Amino acid sequence: MGALRRLRTAVLEPDTPLPSLRSACFNAYWAAWTALFLVPLVAFAASGAPARPIRAATRLWARGILFGLRGIVGLRHVEEGRERIPDGPCLIVANHQSAWETLAFLILVPDVAIIAKRELVAIPVVGWFLRRSPMIIIDRANGTQALRTMIEESRAAVAAGRSVLIFPEGTRSAFGAPVQFKRGAELLYGKLGLPVLPVAVNSGLYWPSGSVSRPGTVVVSYLAPLAAGLSAAAFMEGTERAIDRELDRWRPVAAA
């Protein structure tokens, strides 16, 4: 893994101050844009935290962040296979390489209930909105209780006509590392009885964890859906391995 990280640094982060400068400007933009939402936060809190306006404001905030990435950093995105998204609620299973997809899915699938770890809502200002937006917040340190919360709130979201999104690796993984799901995704699939939409994202090429963001085009690939009611083995084959195979398209870019 150390060799892979050094290789990615050498290939995707050349010895130039420009990416770092752009990233620093974007970070300043992020802070300023987020600070603007203090006013609506106070207004929403005083009016009883209405769900729909808060969700709309959260999506507006996410759009602004993606706008900054595109305009300042030069980081864009394209979608492939969007027509594969089921018409009704489904379980969306995506790999996790960057903060990018956590933000982007608020826009790509506007009313999706995103399963996220508690640390995300500790972010000033943003955390207040995310806690009251299409997020299912779990505390992974609580073990069984975290799984119970995930299942109960996912069922409530589905009953309201919303899809559920899970990043089954549990945390961000390095680009090039094999996709490895934790048990929660399999358990959620069995409990919800929904079709599954696997999604592969290559954001780690341009915004790896702990590094500066870089110009490029993030590709979001919606893969062939799976029916509900499959065996655990079939679920794993159709999601974990399908996403991993799709990521093989971009692994040569990191190794070039």
Side-chain angles (χ1 to χ4, degrees), residues 161-180:
R162 299 163 62 198
S163 293
V164 176
L165 166 66
I166 185 171
F167 298 113
E169 294 165 288
T171 189
R172 285 174 285 184
S173 61
F175 191 91
V179 176
Q180 294 183 323

Side-chain angles (χ1 to χ4, degrees), residues 17-156:
L18 186 57
S20 296
L21 178 60
R22 286 177 174 175
S23 188
C25 290
F26 167 71
N27 289 339
Y29 167 85
W30 178 308
W33 174 245
T34 301
L36 293 177
F37 284 76
L38 276 170
V39 174
L41 185 158
V42 173
F44 289 147
S47 59
R52 282 188 175 275
I54 287 175
R55 289 176 181 172
T58 305
R59 289 193 293 270
L60 176 61
W61 173 80
R63 286 186 187 278
I65 298 300
L66 295 182
F67 173 82
L69 282 170
R70 184 171 62 252
I72 299 171
V73 178
L75 183 56
R76 298 167 173 80
H77 74 275
V78 296
E79 298 175 84
E80 296 179 353
R82 187 171 177 84
E83 69 279 359
R84 292 174 173 151
I85 299 177
D87 292 332
C90 65
L91 176 61
I92 303 173
V93 176
N95 66 300
H96 193 19
Q97 297 180 346
S98 166
W100 185 89
E101 52 268 14
T102 307
L103 301 171
F105 272 110
L106 291 167
I107 309 302
L108 300 176
V109 189
D111 203 29
V112 68
I114 302 175
I115 298 173
K117 56 187 179 182
R118 189 179 65 173
E119 291 84 346
L120 189 65
V121 299
I123 303 173
V125 183
V126 177
W128 189 91
F129 283 92
L130 294 180
R131 184 179 290 279
R132 294 160 179 82
S133 294
M135 292 274 183
I136 297 172
I137 306 299
I138 60 172
D139 183 359
R140 292 180 300 176
N142 283 343
T144 302
Q145 180 57 44
L147 290 173
R148 185 177 297 116
T149 298
M150 179 181 71
I151 293 169
E152 290 175 355
E153 295 195 20
S154 294
R155 282 174 168 165

Side-chain angles (χ1 to χ4, degrees), residues 206-217:
Y206 309 106
W207 197 3
S209 178
S211 182
V212 298
S213 49
R214 300 184 53 81
T217 300

Side-chain angles (χ1 to χ4, degrees), residues 3-22:
L4 174 61
R5 187 177 294 112
R6 288 191 297 272
L7 176 60
R8 186 177 64 246
T9 298
V11 173
L12 298 177
E13 299 179 14
D15 186 15
T16 172
L18 186 57
S20 296
L21 178 60
R22 286 177 174 175

Side-chain angles (χ1 to χ4, degrees), residues 215-240:
T217 300
V218 174
V219 180
V220 182
S221 293
Y222 303 98
L223 307 178
L226 283 75
L230 299 176
S231 67
F235 168 76
M236 295 298 285
E237 174 67 27
T239 53
E240 182 181 82

